[in-house]
Amino acid sequence: MLTQLLSWQWIFYGALPVCAVALWPATRVPADRARGAARIDWPGIVTFSLAATGITFGFIRGGEAGWGDGSTLLGFGLGVVLLLASGAYYLGGFAFLPVLSLWLQNGAGLSAFATSLVITAQPVAFFATSALAGGALHRMPARWSVGGGTLLVAAGYLLLLLVVQPGANWPVLTPGLVVTGVGAGLVSPVLPALAMASTDPAHSGVAGAAANSARQLGLALGIALLGTVFHRSVPGTGVGAPPVAYGEGLGAVFLVAGAVAALGGAVAWLVCGKE
């Protein structure tokens, strides 16, 4: 909406007043004060180290063999999955939206404003799920909210993958967008709380920040990864490419994102146990 009604620069300008307002309450938060000896989280250290290794390998291999090379994509994928639900959920839940907007505008022929309205189906389902579930999400076992929610995101991709066929138009996307939004609505409110509950109160702020950092990292890497998959799947998907090319590229994106979400959801289901 900002792009069509104002200019694309407003996606950045619009964040400035929000950041300015957020600075004041941020300065009022008391500093954490650690008490006693902290327990070393060896499983967390190993998991994060392997995740960092996979992501680093992906960047190195991408420069040598190409960003669409199988080993490059595998390194990125494993790195994101090893960040558990935080990275896999954000990659699966939201990183496909920039590519989807390309298909809606260049494949389905919608304007930027109409594209934003179609994509709104996902955040509406997201916020509705979070609002309606409310406190029940925090009483739900973590494997159901985090693991199950991420698996539901993967199920939404299965719907999207099945309906995006040559000649398809934007209405067929709605069920898949709603399902991914519902899955994201189950996961998002629980992740920071789960991270903060896993450590002592003195370090809860750090734990919540780590979970949010993993989410943002998964989103940033996901946009790069899925954008590469899209352009490598169908060469020549730039401006002026036939609509069918965008549809085929989008199908490849749904397949990769769905696989990452499914794997991340399965890992979260096992790791969270019955907590």
Side-chain angles (χ1 to χ4, degrees):
M1 294 171 62
L2 292 173
T3 298
Q4 182 163 332
L5 300 180
L6 296 173
S7 67
W8 66 265
Q9 289 91 339
W10 276 92
I11 66 175
F12 302 108
Y13 297 154
L16 293 178
V18 177
C19 294
V21 171
L23 283 176
W24 184 82
T27 61
R28 315 293 293 180
V29 177
D32 287 341
R33 296 214 186 338
R35 297 178 181 175
R39 178 181 61 87
I40 298 177
D41 180 15
W42 291 110
I45 292 174
V46 172
T47 301
F48 184 82
S49 298
L50 292 175
T53 300
I55 293 169
T56 303
F57 171 82
F59 278 113
I60 295 174
R61 183 65 177 170
E64 296 175 347
W67 299 107
D69 180 72
S71 59
T72 302
L73 300 179
L74 180 63
F76 281 132
L78 289 178
V80 171
V81 167
L82 285 169
L83 289 174
L84 300 178
S86 290
Y89 145 70
Y90 245 55
L91 187 155
F94 303 102
F96 75 104
L97 293 176
V99 174
L100 180 61
S101 69
L102 289 177
W103 180 80
L104 288 170
Q105 294 180 73
N106 298 293
L110 299 183
S111 66
F113 184 77
T115 295
S116 70
L117 295 180
V118 173
I119 292 177
T120 299
Q122 193 207 37
V124 166
F126 172 93
F127 288 116
T129 302
S130 298
L132 293 176
L137 288 176
H138 298 283
R139 296 189 296 270
M140 184 184 299
R143 67 163 29 176
W144 285 100
S145 57
V146 178
T150 307
L151 290 173
L152 193 59
V153 171
Y157 279 111
L158 178 60
L159 290 175
L160 291 169
L161 187 63
L162 292 175
V163 300
V164 178
Q165 304 294 334
N169 208 336
W170 67 265
V172 301
L173 299 174
T174 304
L177 290 175
V178 170
V179 171
T180 59
V182 170
L186 293 175
V187 179
S188 190
V190 178
L191 269 177
L194 184 63
M196 290 187 287
S198 67
T199 186
D200 60 89
H203 297 100
S204 60
V206 176
N212 282 322
S213 296
R215 292 199 298 185
Q216 298 302 326
L217 180 60
L219 179 62
L221 290 175
I223 291 174
L225 174 64
L226 298 183
T228 299
V229 170
F230 179 72
H231 287 287
R232 294 281 295 188
S233 298
V234 183
T237 51
V239 177
V244 65
Y246 284 92
E248 293 174 359
L250 194 62
V253 166
F254 290 155
L255 184 62
V256 172
V260 171
L263 189 54
V267 171
W269 181 276
L270 294 175
V271 170
C272 290
K274 296 182 179 180
E275 302 199 7

